[in-house]
Amino acid sequence: MSDGLRARWLGRISFGDGLALQEDLVARKRTDAAVGDELLLLEHEPVYTIGRTTDQSSLRDAAQLPHPLFPTNRGGQATYHGPGQLVGYPIIDLRRHAQDLHRYLRWIEDVLSELLGGYGIDARTRSGLTGVWVEDRKIASIGVGVRQWITMHGFALNVGGDLAPFSHIVPCGIANITMTSIEKESGQPSTVEAVAMRAGEVFARRMPELALQRSFMM
């Protein structure tokens, strides 16, 4: 089976529809080894999500949120998805690669940092925190789920649009966080679809790194 990654641009869809599509792909990959790895790239209608945690404090007052709340089966605290944000859902069978979730998360961070470098943005990780940052400003959030080593959920990269909805929560449970975007950092307008096309190319090109990790561990 090839270690390639097929990227698909889906446009703007609801969070529920995106979750249903992920669930279907994961189920098919669990039973059919011929189903390849995919990266779903999209925008969501405005929605807040929170991962599987008993600590709901990052929602602040859930009853006062300006957009719907969707509890989901990823890891992590509350975040916001909406227009102007590129969401990526890699559906990857880690049984074909390194079965190491930590290494997978670091791979996503590294690929996003390279993608942002193409826009002249010096994006990096921060010790002890998942995601991608520009100095002390967060530009991309990451939250993944795994079922029998098949990944779902993924990353949210702020391209442009209104960042004000983040102020109604404690994004990713990190107090006093400042969210930023490609447009804010680069000073140039960008569309989510254009960034998605670049993201698909970078993720596909760097996909073999997961296979190299597998070979190293064998």
Side-chain angles (χ1 to χ4, degrees), residues 95-111:
R95 293 173 299 183
R96 301 172 184 156
H97 308 290
Q99 291 182 225
D100 186 326
L101 188 56
H102 177 79
R103 292 170 74 102
Y104 173 65
L105 289 168
R106 302 292 81 79
W107 176 74
I108 293 176
E109 290 171 337
D110 287 346
V111 176

Side-chain angles (χ1 to χ4, degrees), residues 49-51 53 55-59 74-79 170-173:
T49 69
I50 189 166
T53 175
D55 178 9
Q56 303 282 301
S57 60
S58 61
L59 291 173
R74 62 165 171 80
Q77 289 285 342
T79 195
V170 182
C172 304

Side-chain angles (χ1 to χ4, degrees), residues 35-111:
V35 177
D37 295 326
E38 293 200 42
L39 171 61
L40 306 179
L41 296 163
L42 52 111
E43 274 182 296
H44 277 315
E45 301 293 345
V47 65
Y48 292 96
T49 69
I50 189 166
R52 49 185 184 276
T53 175
T54 57
D55 178 9
Q56 303 282 301
S57 60
S58 61
L59 291 173
R60 293 184 174 166
D61 185 354
Q64 299 300 315
L65 293 175
H67 302 296
L69 172 65
F70 204 118
T72 189
N73 62 337
R74 62 165 171 80
Q77 289 285 342
T79 195
Y80 165 76
H81 300 306
Q85 183 187 78
L86 172 63
V87 174
Y89 294 138
I91 313 297
I92 296 174
D93 189 346
L94 292 181
R95 293 173 299 183
R96 301 172 184 156
H97 308 290
Q99 291 182 225
D100 186 326
L101 188 56
H102 177 79
R103 292 170 74 102
Y104 173 65
L105 289 168
R106 302 292 81 79
W107 176 74
I108 293 176
E109 290 171 337
D110 287 346
V111 176

